[in-house]
Amino acid sequence: KRPKFLKQLAARKIWLIDGCPIDCAAGVLDQVGRPPELHLNLHDLGVKKNDPLPGHEEWGELVEKIIEIIEYADMLKIISLW
C-alpha cells in the first residue's frame, strides 16, 4: 500500500528545492516514480550543505534567483505548447 502523500502527489505539480548536492530529494521521488516538474538544487545556487545559513540579504537574493528560474521554466513550457 502506498503512503497517502504519494497518492496526493499524482494529482499535483511538484517543484522540488533540494538541499543535498547529490540530489537526494530528487532520488526519493524517482524511486516512487514521480519526478518533479521543476528541480532546483540549493548547492548549485550557492547554498552549501552544513555551511552556516546565509544572512538576510543573501536569502533575499536567493529567493529572487529562485523566482527567476521558476518564471523562466514556466515560460519555456508555454513556448513548447506553441
Side-chain angles (χ1 to χ4, degrees):
K1 184 176 178 180
R2 294 178 69 143
K4 184 177 180 179
F5 83 94
L6 290 177
K7 291 177 187 174
Q8 293 173 340
L9 289 180
R12 295 183 183 188
K13 187 176 193 178
I14 299 174
W15 292 353
L16 178 62
I17 300 176
D18 205 328
C20 180
I22 59 171
D23 298 330
C24 293
V28 170
L29 289 178
D30 285 342
Q31 286 180 10
V32 296
R34 186 58 172 90
E37 282 75 22
L38 179 68
H39 177 216
L40 301 174
N41 188 303
L42 292 177
H43 188 269
D44 296 339
L45 298 173
V47 179
K48 307 302 182 200
K49 190 173 182 176
N50 299 322
D51 276 1
L53 292 175
H56 181 73
E57 186 174 313
E58 290 85 8
W59 273 119
E61 292 170 3
L62 177 64
V63 168
E64 287 179 20
K65 193 181 299 185
I66 290 171
I67 290 170
E68 287 175 15
I69 292 168
I70 291 169
E71 288 173 345
Y72 181 71
D74 280 345
M75 180 191 69
L76 289 178
K77 287 180 184 173
I78 290 170
I79 290 171
S80 70
L81 294 176
W82 288 357

